[in-house]
Amino acid sequence: VQTLETWVLCVQNDAFREAAPEKQYHRGALKKLCYGTNDLPAREQRDHAINVLTREDALGLLRQRASFRRFEDAVRDWTQVSRVGE
C-alpha cells in the first residue's frame, strides 16, 4: 500500500518525482500528503488513487521510478509465464 501511495504522490505532486518520499517520511505523513488526511475511508482512497493514476501523464511519470519499472517488469514476466501453460 505504501508503494502505491508513493506512486500516487509522484504523479500528483512534482516535489515527489525526484525524491524517494518513502525513505524521507513515515507512513502517516505520506498518507496525509497523498489523501489530505489519515482518516479517509478505503473506498475514497481507492477512488483518489484511480483518478490520479489514470491521468494521461501518469504512466510516463511512473516509469521514471525504479520501483515502478521493477513492478512493470515483474508483471510482464508473470504474464509471459502464465501464457506458456495455455
Side-chain angles (χ1 to χ4, degrees):
V1 172
Q2 184 174 355
T3 299
L4 182 62
E5 290 169 350
T6 301
W7 293 344
V8 170
L9 274 172
C10 292
V11 172
Q12 75 183 12
N13 188 328
D14 292 340
F16 291 100
R17 292 194 186 140
E18 295 296 325
E22 66 278 10
K23 294 179 182 176
Q24 298 175 11
Y25 299 91
H26 62 82
R27 178 121 183 354
L30 283 175
K31 198 171 196 71
K32 188 167 184 170
L33 289 166
C34 185
Y35 303 116
T37 180
N38 287 328
D39 300 323
L40 197 64
R43 173 180 272 176
E44 291 180 43
Q45 289 178 26
R46 183 202 61 213
D47 292 348
H48 176 73
I50 289 169
N51 286 336
V52 172
L53 296 175
T54 56
R55 282 182 19 185
E56 193 172 307
D57 62 342
L59 191 55
L61 293 169
L62 290 171
R63 284 181 172 154
Q64 295 173 20
R65 300 198 60 76
S67 64
F68 185 82
R69 290 192 307 272
R70 285 191 301 272
F71 169 76
E72 192 173 36
D73 289 345
V75 169
R76 186 179 309 108
D77 292 347
W78 178 78
T79 58
Q80 290 172 354
V81 168
S82 67
R83 288 183 187 156
V84 171
E86 292 178 359

